[in-house]
Amino acid sequence: MKPNPHTVKDELLAAYPKKTARKRAEQIVVNERRADGAVPEIKANVRTTPGAITQRGCTYAGCKGVVIGPTRDILSITHGPIGCGFYSWLTRRNQTRTEGPEDANYITYCLSTDMQDEQIVFGGEKKLRAAVEEAYALFHPKAIAIFSTCPVGLIGDDVHSVARDMKEKLGINVFGFSCEGYKGVSQSAGHHIANNQLFKHVVGTDETPRPEKFKINLLGEYNIGGDAFVIEDLLERCGITLISTFSGNSTYAAFANSHMADLNAVMCHRSINYVAEMMEKKFGIPWIKVNFVGAEGTAKSLRHIAQYFKDAELIERVEKVISDEMTEVLEMQFEVRSRCEGKTAMLFVGGSRAHSYQTLFAEMGMKIVAAGYEFAHRDDYEGRRVLPTVKVDADSRNIEELEVHRDETRYLPRRGPDDLVQLQTSGVNLHDYQGMMPDMEEGALVIDDLYHFETERLLEIYKPDVFCAGIKEKYAVQKAGIPCKQLHSYDSGGPYAGFRGAINFYKEIDRMVNTKIWSHVQAPWEAEEELADDAIAS
Ligand code: CFM
């Protein structure tokens, strides 16, 4: 029988002390649309209850790991105790491909100042300076980024002044991030900090004009498992020039020249919408929300980009690419539907994929019974229309909000106001993101910042055919006899973006939900208990 989501919610809350339950109730929502189509309000981007096991990461992770990490030729130095650097080393499957054997690729390195007691007591700026000089002497990079870990903020080291001095001394771009792990309530704060500094120190620093016709940046794509390679190939075949991706398979030079693009296409809204907005204000580049996850989303996104450029030849090329790809996609969809139709999935991932991957499951005929983000904000759930009503609390006020103005010499409106209105009315998500909840079924459970206790209960109550989360959850879920697909790293799979990626995903999920192995999972102590019971009975 289908569980009643309201009863499930009450049951989850019943385990908490009264005050906690009252607060938590606002983060667990049954997706029931009102008559006007509006979705319920959800509380998000708030502190995790102390004592709860959260899926979240820290601000340093969001800044160094997520946004800047995938750029291969910015040399990243972690200012802090060695653990922060070591445990954030190569943990995200962001891939990169140099253009030639001589090109720099620092992604495989782990550079840290290895703070010791002495630095905590007497300050670590001296050691940081020495580290930057040593790193420069070894690698001669174009740019060095310095990332702050918790103790840096606690003892008051000024990474920005060290960066300024080093920039002057070495003659390369050096910039720092105040991304101490404790800032904000999750890694989301780190995205914002990373976006600000990228925008301040890198974007727009190379004025080389670009002669190409259809120039875009792709924002919020991080090349996990090779996704960016698939998208790059698609765009190229369509005749669209990708100036820069923020930041999958990216380079410093591409960021610097990215203001030459005529459109910003935003994939992961949560991590990078700040850059899209700032680039529009300063340079006049409009942004649209795209989604290259799922075959339908990919086709729609390519069409919207073509629509933006209003070019008959481009539109034709895009249609050709879509039809070339779709035959195989539809064949595979047909095949997996025969085995997967009606099966259920749960997605509790990050700040973007819990939504975007729902399309792939829908294409397989599967149903999402519960989903949520780890660290997204209300607009990622309910849509950007709620932005004016989002309360800014003390934790968010902690993060610098850059004041950006139009650059009088470089601002260039890419489209006239009439064009923009026309685009909007034709269904292109211009300056807009709908959010996850409007796309979800009635009665689905939406839970923000899922706690581990709730994970276990959901598995028991719903017994979904697959649970999508990350490495911290994976084995606990599988011990419950339910397959767990990692949607952060894709386990060892992928790419899952674009048409080719969709096919990969269908095959992978089909394999996971249809294997019989999970019905044989029994923990050794459960077996022992049976034996013991038998012994007592005899
Ligand atoms: Fe954006 Fe991401 Fe995500 Fe994210 Fe992430 Fe990631 Fe993610 Mo892991 S930038 S919000 S901070 S889509 S690392 S590539 S998978 S939690 S859903």
Side-chain angles (χ1 to χ4, degrees):
M1 213 183 59
K2 218 175 117 194
N4 176 335
H6 293 281
T7 321
V8 176
K9 175 176 174 174
D10 291 344
E11 200 193 312
L12 296 180
L13 294 174
Y16 299 129
K18 241 193 187 157
K19 201 173 139 199
T20 307
R22 207 172 51 236
K23 282 191 176 169
R24 188 70 184 136
E26 297 175 78
Q27 290 175 279
I28 305 177
V29 165
V30 180
N31 197 39
E32 283 166 340
R33 261 174 286 274
R34 288 201 310 254
D36 63 354
V39 290
E41 182 175 330
I42 188 164
K43 195 166 205 169
N45 193 32
V46 290
R47 290 183 190 185
T48 303
T49 310
I53 302 177
T54 173
Q55 300 179 310
R56 285 173 167 174
C58 71
T59 301
Y60 161 77
C63 181
K64 190 258 187 187
V66 174
V67 178
I68 313 293
T71 308
R72 62 175 170 266
D73 58 357
I74 295 178
L75 192 67
S76 294
I77 301 179
T78 297
H79 187 32
I82 192 65
C84 303
F86 184 81
Y87 291 110
S88 58
W89 178 35
L90 296 182
T91 48
R92 192 158 171 259
R93 281 186 69 228
N94 43 242
Q95 302 183 355
T96 202
R97 204 180 266 161
T98 54
E99 271 155 34
E102 299 304 311
D103 287 356
N105 176 11
Y106 309 125
I107 285 183
T108 49
Y109 291 95
C110 173
L111 278 76
S112 163
T113 52
D114 183 23
M115 263 186 172
Q116 304 285 331
D117 288 1
E118 193 189 328
Q119 283 78 48
I120 300 294
V121 177
F122 299 107
E125 290 177 18
K126 207 170 123 203
K127 198 168 186 192
L128 176 60
R129 270 172 228 273
V132 173
E133 289 192 60
E134 189 186 338
Y136 180 75
L138 280 170
F139 296 99
H140 290 97
K142 289 181 191 150
I144 294 180
I146 303 164
F147 300 92
S148 307
T149 58
C150 295
V152 173
L154 298 176
I155 64 174
D157 271 3
D158 187 348
V159 296
H160 305 288
S161 87
V162 173
R164 269 195 304 276
D165 292 354
M166 286 293 126
K167 184 175 176 176
E168 204 171 302
K169 185 166 179 193
L170 303 173
I172 59 160
N173 202 350
V174 185
F175 39 92
F177 296 86
S178 290
C179 56
E180 288 86 352
Y182 57 77
K183 281 214 172 138
V185 300
S186 69
Q187 56 266 61
S188 170
H191 304 150
H192 197 166
I193 292 163
N195 281 214
N196 284 350
Q197 296 299 81
L198 258 189
F199 188 74
K200 254 204 291 201
H201 295 278
V202 188
V203 170
T205 53
D206 173 10
E207 289 300 336
T208 313
R210 298 289 301 244
E212 298 91 335
K213 236 168 140 188
F214 312 117
K215 301 177 288 260
I216 70 163
N217 295 315
L218 185 59
L219 270 56
E221 202 303 313
Y222 299 94
N223 202 17
I224 308 300
D227 279 352
F229 302 143
V230 175
I231 302 171
E232 285 170 14
D233 171 65
L234 275 176
L235 294 174
E236 200 189 315
R237 280 158 54 205
C238 292
I240 297 162
T241 303
L242 185 59
I243 305 267
S244 181
T245 300
F246 289 72
S247 56
N249 195 30
S250 63
T251 61
Y252 175 79
F255 288 154
N257 195 229
S258 59
H259 62 309
M260 292 295 156
D262 290 323
L263 175 70
N264 280 329
V266 177
M267 280 258 298
C268 167
H269 170 266
R270 181 63 272 133
S271 62
I272 206 97
N273 71 86
Y274 319 93
V275 163
E277 283 182 66
M278 292 189 285
M279 283 181 89
E280 172 144 44
K281 265 194 200 155
K282 187 168 177 181
F283 303 110
I285 308 172
W287 67 270
I288 62 171
K289 174 76 178 72
V290 294
N291 177 24
F292 285 104
V293 180
E296 205 185 299
T298 303
K300 202 161 126 188
S301 301
L302 289 173
R303 287 189 175 119
H304 284 177
I305 294 171
Q307 235 172 303
Y308 171 84
F309 285 107
K310 266 176 73 181
D311 182 279
E313 206 178 305
L314 176 64
I315 292 173
E316 202 178 302
R317 265 181 93 162
V318 162
E319 289 305 328
K320 169 89 176 52
V321 170
I322 295 172
S323 72
D324 285 352
E325 298 270 348
M326 269 322 248
T327 322
E328 204 185 326
V329 169
L330 293 175
E331 270 169 23
M332 191 49 70
Q333 268 182 24
F334 183 75
E335 191 189 321
V336 296
R337 267 179 181 264
S338 66
R339 289 182 295 264
C340 300
E341 187 100 55
K343 290 200 184 289
T344 56
M346 290 185 176
L347 296 92
F348 288 95
V349 200
S352 174
R353 295 182 174 187
H355 180 196
S356 53
Y357 274 75
Q358 292 194 19
T359 3
L360 274 168
F361 282 107
E363 288 171 1
M364 302 177 71
M366 287 179 63
K367 221 173 111 100
I368 308 301
V369 285
Y373 297 122
E374 290 169 44
F375 52 76
H377 302 197
R378 269 187 66 202
D379 44 324
D380 304 296
Y381 285 103
E382 302 169 53
R384 277 178 71 94
R385 79 189 79 84
V386 302
L387 275 180
T389 60
V390 173
K391 266 191 252 137
V392 183
D393 60 13
D395 290 306
S396 304
R397 237 174 254 126
N398 230 346
I399 317 300
E400 185 189 16
E401 195 68 57
L402 288 190
E403 226 189 275
V404 179
H405 300 289
R406 176 180 293 207
D407 184 323
E408 291 305 341
T409 54
R410 297 191 288 173
Y411 185 90
L412 182 75
R414 275 32 184 207
R415 285 283 171 280
D418 291 350
D419 270 3
L420 294 180
V421 172
Q422 203 198 334
L423 273 174
Q424 223 146 12
T425 48
S426 64
V428 174
N429 281 327
L430 185 74
H431 312 141
D432 195 25
Y433 172 45
Q434 273 246 335
M436 173 170 99
M437 286 159 73
D439 277 345
M440 285 183 75
E441 279 196 32
E442 281 283 301
L445 257 187
V446 182
I447 306 181
D448 181 59
D449 183 20
L450 186 76
Y451 296 170
H452 187 73
F453 153 74
E454 296 160 358
T455 307
E456 293 188 348
R457 289 302 292 131
L458 289 182
L459 294 174
E460 283 162 14
I461 299 168
Y462 283 90
K463 300 189 177 49
D465 294 293
V466 63
F467 190 92
C468 299
I471 188 65
K472 301 197 291 292
E473 297 78 37
K474 184 172 176 93
Y475 296 99
V477 172
Q478 296 197 157
K479 281 175 188 168
I482 289 163
C484 178
K485 178 66 192 167
Q486 289 191 64
L487 279 192
H488 301 262
S489 68
Y490 306 160
D491 297 296
S492 54
Y496 295 140
F499 303 105
R500 195 150 60 76
I503 294 173
N504 287 341
F505 193 78
Y506 303 153
K507 285 186 187 164
E508 170 77 342
I509 297 299
D510 177 26
R511 183 183 69 78
M512 289 180 85
V513 300
N514 285 307
T515 172
K516 299 279 176 285
I517 193 78
W518 302 107
S519 58
H520 297 291
V521 173
Q522 193 182 30
W525 59 87
E526 287 171 336
E528 275 164 25
E529 228 169 67
E530 266 173 33
L531 286 179
D533 288 348
D534 287 350
I536 294 163
S538 57

PDB file of all heavy atoms in Angstrom, residues 2 30-33 358 366-368 436-446:
ATOM      1  N   LYS A   2       0.401   2.279  -0.659  1.00  0.00           N
ATOM      2  CA  LYS A   2       1.161   3.525  -0.744  1.00  0.00           C
ATOM      3  C   LYS A   2       1.157   4.237   0.609  1.00  0.00           C
ATOM      4  O   LYS A   2       0.094   4.470   1.175  1.00  0.00           O
ATOM      5  CB  LYS A   2       0.491   4.414  -1.792  1.00  0.00           C
ATOM      6  CG  LYS A   2       1.472   5.185  -2.638  1.00  0.00           C
ATOM      7  CD  LYS A   2       0.746   5.947  -3.714  1.00  0.00           C
ATOM      8  CE  LYS A   2       0.973   7.421  -3.490  1.00  0.00           C
ATOM      9  NZ  LYS A   2       0.122   8.294  -4.227  1.00  0.00           N
ATOM     10  N   VAL A  30       4.871  18.111   2.271  1.00  0.00           N
ATOM     11  CA  VAL A  30       4.184  17.248   1.305  1.00  0.00           C
ATOM     12  C   VAL A  30       3.832  18.125   0.106  1.00  0.00           C
ATOM     13  O   VAL A  30       3.242  19.187   0.261  1.00  0.00           O
ATOM     14  CB  VAL A  30       2.902  16.635   1.920  1.00  0.00           C
ATOM     15  CG1 VAL A  30       2.205  15.741   0.893  1.00  0.00           C
ATOM     16  CG2 VAL A  30       3.239  15.835   3.176  1.00  0.00           C
ATOM     17  N   ASN A  31       4.262  17.684  -1.061  1.00  0.00           N
ATOM     18  CA  ASN A  31       4.100  18.525  -2.250  1.00  0.00           C
ATOM     19  C   ASN A  31       2.643  18.534  -2.712  1.00  0.00           C
ATOM     20  O   ASN A  31       2.212  17.678  -3.472  1.00  0.00           O
ATOM     21  CB  ASN A  31       5.012  17.990  -3.366  1.00  0.00           C
ATOM     22  CG  ASN A  31       5.228  19.005  -4.468  1.00  0.00           C
ATOM     23  OD1 ASN A  31       5.365  20.202  -4.204  1.00  0.00           O
ATOM     24  ND2 ASN A  31       5.249  18.545  -5.711  1.00  0.00           N
ATOM     25  N   GLU A  32       1.911  19.507  -2.219  1.00  0.00           N
ATOM     26  CA  GLU A  32       0.508  19.640  -2.620  1.00  0.00           C
ATOM     27  C   GLU A  32       0.295  21.026  -3.193  1.00  0.00           C
ATOM     28  O   GLU A  32       0.425  22.029  -2.496  1.00  0.00           O
ATOM     29  CB  GLU A  32      -0.411  19.408  -1.403  1.00  0.00           C
ATOM     30  CG  GLU A  32      -0.530  17.937  -1.067  1.00  0.00           C
ATOM     31  CD  GLU A  32      -1.131  17.688   0.300  1.00  0.00           C
ATOM     32  OE1 GLU A  32      -1.122  18.599   1.142  1.00  0.00           O
ATOM     33  OE2 GLU A  32      -1.609  16.559   0.523  1.00  0.00           O
ATOM     34  N   ARG A  33      -0.008  21.055  -4.467  1.00  0.00           N
ATOM     35  CA  ARG A  33      -0.163  22.348  -5.136  1.00  0.00           C
ATOM     36  C   ARG A  33      -1.490  22.995  -4.775  1.00  0.00           C
ATOM     37  O   ARG A  33      -2.504  22.323  -4.611  1.00  0.00           O
ATOM     38  CB  ARG A  33      -0.087  22.154  -6.647  1.00  0.00           C
ATOM     39  CG  ARG A  33       1.263  22.485  -7.213  1.00  0.00           C
ATOM     40  CD  ARG A  33       1.296  22.132  -8.687  1.00  0.00           C
ATOM     41  NE  ARG A  33       1.361  20.683  -8.848  1.00  0.00           N
ATOM     42  CZ  ARG A  33       2.492  19.985  -8.843  1.00  0.00           C
ATOM     43  NH1 ARG A  33       3.634  20.611  -8.699  1.00  0.00           N
ATOM     44  NH2 ARG A  33       2.489  18.679  -8.979  1.00  0.00           N
ATOM     45  N   GLN A 358      15.555  14.011 -11.866  1.00  0.00           N
ATOM     46  CA  GLN A 358      14.180  13.493 -11.912  1.00  0.00           C
ATOM     47  C   GLN A 358      13.735  13.294 -13.361  1.00  0.00           C
ATOM     48  O   GLN A 358      12.953  12.392 -13.662  1.00  0.00           O
ATOM     49  CB  GLN A 358      13.231  14.447 -11.189  1.00  0.00           C
ATOM     50  CG  GLN A 358      13.502  14.478  -9.690  1.00  0.00           C
ATOM     51  CD  GLN A 358      12.382  15.138  -8.913  1.00  0.00           C
ATOM     52  OE1 GLN A 358      11.270  15.263  -9.387  1.00  0.00           O
ATOM     53  NE2 GLN A 358      12.685  15.547  -7.692  1.00  0.00           N
ATOM     54  N   MET A 366      10.019   5.829 -14.293  1.00  0.00           N
ATOM     55  CA  MET A 366      10.110   5.631 -12.840  1.00  0.00           C
ATOM     56  C   MET A 366       9.528   6.827 -12.092  1.00  0.00           C
ATOM     57  O   MET A 366       9.423   7.925 -12.618  1.00  0.00           O
ATOM     58  CB  MET A 366      11.567   5.361 -12.433  1.00  0.00           C
ATOM     59  CG  MET A 366      12.003   3.962 -12.861  1.00  0.00           C
ATOM     60  SD  MET A 366      13.711   3.561 -12.453  1.00  0.00           S
ATOM     61  CE  MET A 366      13.716   3.614 -10.663  1.00  0.00           C
ATOM     62  N   LYS A 367       9.181   6.573 -10.844  1.00  0.00           N
ATOM     63  CA  LYS A 367       8.452   7.552 -10.052  1.00  0.00           C
ATOM     64  C   LYS A 367       9.321   8.030  -8.885  1.00  0.00           C
ATOM     65  O   LYS A 367       9.953   7.223  -8.214  1.00  0.00           O
ATOM     66  CB  LYS A 367       7.219   6.835  -9.475  1.00  0.00           C
ATOM     67  CG  LYS A 367       5.958   7.629  -9.499  1.00  0.00           C
ATOM     68  CD  LYS A 367       4.812   6.731  -9.069  1.00  0.00           C
ATOM     69  CE  LYS A 367       4.332   7.190  -7.745  1.00  0.00           C
ATOM     70  NZ  LYS A 367       3.346   7.900  -7.389  1.00  0.00           N
ATOM     71  N   ILE A 368       9.296   9.334  -8.624  1.00  0.00           N
ATOM     72  CA  ILE A 368      10.055   9.866  -7.486  1.00  0.00           C
ATOM     73  C   ILE A 368       9.107  10.018  -6.303  1.00  0.00           C
ATOM     74  O   ILE A 368       8.172  10.812  -6.352  1.00  0.00           O
ATOM     75  CB  ILE A 368      10.670  11.251  -7.818  1.00  0.00           C
ATOM     76  CG1 ILE A 368      11.460  11.197  -9.134  1.00  0.00           C
ATOM     77  CG2 ILE A 368      11.529  11.752  -6.662  1.00  0.00           C
ATOM     78  CD1 ILE A 368      12.601  10.226  -9.176  1.00  0.00           C
ATOM     79  N   MET A 436      12.348  22.864  -8.068  1.00  0.00           N
ATOM     80  CA  MET A 436      12.091  21.423  -8.093  1.00  0.00           C
ATOM     81  C   MET A 436      10.630  21.055  -7.840  1.00  0.00           C
ATOM     82  O   MET A 436      10.071  20.170  -8.492  1.00  0.00           O
ATOM     83  CB  MET A 436      12.967  20.776  -7.012  1.00  0.00           C
ATOM     84  CG  MET A 436      12.713  19.322  -6.783  1.00  0.00           C
ATOM     85  SD  MET A 436      13.985  18.619  -5.720  1.00  0.00           S
ATOM     86  CE  MET A 436      13.159  18.617  -4.177  1.00  0.00           C
ATOM     87  N   MET A 437       9.998  21.716  -6.900  1.00  0.00           N
ATOM     88  CA  MET A 437       8.675  21.266  -6.462  1.00  0.00           C
ATOM     89  C   MET A 437       7.585  21.351  -7.536  1.00  0.00           C
ATOM     90  O   MET A 437       6.762  20.432  -7.639  1.00  0.00           O
ATOM     91  CB  MET A 437       8.270  21.985  -5.167  1.00  0.00           C
ATOM     92  CG  MET A 437       9.035  21.437  -3.971  1.00  0.00           C
ATOM     93  SD  MET A 437       9.096  22.536  -2.562  1.00  0.00           S
ATOM     94  CE  MET A 437       7.430  22.426  -1.963  1.00  0.00           C
ATOM     95  N   PRO A 438       7.555  22.407  -8.348  1.00  0.00           N
ATOM     96  CA  PRO A 438       6.516  22.443  -9.379  1.00  0.00           C
ATOM     97  C   PRO A 438       6.590  21.252 -10.349  1.00  0.00           C
ATOM     98  O   PRO A 438       5.596  20.897 -10.971  1.00  0.00           O
ATOM     99  CB  PRO A 438       6.774  23.760 -10.118  1.00  0.00           C
ATOM    100  CG  PRO A 438       7.509  24.601  -9.149  1.00  0.00           C
ATOM    101  CD  PRO A 438       8.343  23.651  -8.343  1.00  0.00           C
ATOM    102  N   ASP A 439       7.789  20.653 -10.453  1.00  0.00           N
ATOM    103  CA  ASP A 439       7.956  19.509 -11.356  1.00  0.00           C
ATOM    104  C   ASP A 439       7.633  18.176 -10.698  1.00  0.00           C
ATOM    105  O   ASP A 439       7.642  17.136 -11.347  1.00  0.00           O
ATOM    106  CB  ASP A 439       9.412  19.437 -11.852  1.00  0.00           C
ATOM    107  CG  ASP A 439       9.641  20.355 -13.025  1.00  0.00           C
ATOM    108  OD1 ASP A 439       8.649  20.813 -13.611  1.00  0.00           O
ATOM    109  OD2 ASP A 439      10.823  20.610 -13.351  1.00  0.00           O
ATOM    110  N   MET A 440       7.405  18.181  -9.376  1.00  0.00           N
ATOM    111  CA  MET A 440       7.199  16.904  -8.682  1.00  0.00           C
ATOM    112  C   MET A 440       5.721  16.554  -8.561  1.00  0.00           C
ATOM    113  O   MET A 440       4.855  17.408  -8.609  1.00  0.00           O
ATOM    114  CB  MET A 440       7.850  16.941  -7.303  1.00  0.00           C
ATOM    115  CG  MET A 440       9.353  16.821  -7.390  1.00  0.00           C
ATOM    116  SD  MET A 440      10.106  16.773  -5.769  1.00  0.00           S
ATOM    117  CE  MET A 440       9.719  15.102  -5.239  1.00  0.00           C
ATOM    118  N   GLU A 441       5.502  15.266  -8.358  1.00  0.00           N
ATOM    119  CA  GLU A 441       4.113  14.801  -8.269  1.00  0.00           C
ATOM    120  C   GLU A 441       3.434  15.270  -6.993  1.00  0.00           C
ATOM    121  O   GLU A 441       4.092  15.506  -5.973  1.00  0.00           O
ATOM    122  CB  GLU A 441       4.106  13.264  -8.254  1.00  0.00           C
ATOM    123  CG  GLU A 441       4.239  12.696  -9.632  1.00  0.00           C
ATOM    124  CD  GLU A 441       3.843  11.229  -9.650  1.00  0.00           C
ATOM    125  OE1 GLU A 441       2.969  10.812  -8.877  1.00  0.00           O
ATOM    126  OE2 GLU A 441       4.426  10.508 -10.470  1.00  0.00           O
ATOM    127  N   GLU A 442       2.132  15.331  -7.045  1.00  0.00           N
ATOM    128  CA  GLU A 442       1.327  15.596  -5.857  1.00  0.00           C
ATOM    129  C   GLU A 442       1.602  14.492  -4.838  1.00  0.00           C
ATOM    130  O   GLU A 442       1.663  13.313  -5.195  1.00  0.00           O
ATOM    131  CB  GLU A 442      -0.162  15.521  -6.218  1.00  0.00           C
ATOM    132  CG  GLU A 442      -0.710  16.748  -6.911  1.00  0.00           C
ATOM    133  CD  GLU A 442      -0.955  17.891  -5.951  1.00  0.00           C
ATOM    134  OE1 GLU A 442      -1.741  17.739  -5.002  1.00  0.00           O
ATOM    135  OE2 GLU A 442      -0.323  18.938  -6.169  1.00  0.00           O
ATOM    136  N   GLY A 443       1.758  14.891  -3.603  1.00  0.00           N
ATOM    137  CA  GLY A 443       1.906  13.890  -2.547  1.00  0.00           C
ATOM    138  C   GLY A 443       3.325  13.383  -2.356  1.00  0.00           C
ATOM    139  O   GLY A 443       3.576  12.588  -1.450  1.00  0.00           O
ATOM    140  N   ALA A 444       4.253  13.842  -3.191  1.00  0.00           N
ATOM    141  CA  ALA A 444       5.647  13.431  -2.988  1.00  0.00           C
ATOM    142  C   ALA A 444       6.173  14.162  -1.754  1.00  0.00           C
ATOM    143  O   ALA A 444       5.758  15.284  -1.461  1.00  0.00           O
ATOM    144  CB  ALA A 444       6.479  13.780  -4.208  1.00  0.00           C
ATOM    145  N   LEU A 445       7.089  13.498  -1.046  1.00  0.00           N
ATOM    146  CA  LEU A 445       7.670  14.143   0.139  1.00  0.00           C
ATOM    147  C   LEU A 445       8.889  14.948  -0.289  1.00  0.00           C
ATOM    148  O   LEU A 445       9.740  14.462  -1.045  1.00  0.00           O
ATOM    149  CB  LEU A 445       8.130  13.074   1.120  1.00  0.00           C
ATOM    150  CG  LEU A 445       7.296  12.770   2.358  1.00  0.00           C
ATOM    151  CD1 LEU A 445       8.073  11.800   3.248  1.00  0.00           C
ATOM    152  CD2 LEU A 445       6.929  14.020   3.144  1.00  0.00           C
ATOM    153  N   VAL A 446       8.973  16.166   0.212  1.00  0.00           N
ATOM    154  CA  VAL A 446      10.141  17.000  -0.070  1.00  0.00           C
ATOM    155  C   VAL A 446      10.797  17.314   1.270  1.00  0.00           C
ATOM    156  O   VAL A 446      10.149  17.856   2.166  1.00  0.00           O
ATOM    157  CB  VAL A 446       9.716  18.292  -0.794  1.00  0.00           C
ATOM    158  CG1 VAL A 446      10.943  19.129  -1.127  1.00  0.00           C
ATOM    159  CG2 VAL A 446       8.949  17.962  -2.066  1.00  0.00           C
TER     160      VAL A 446
END
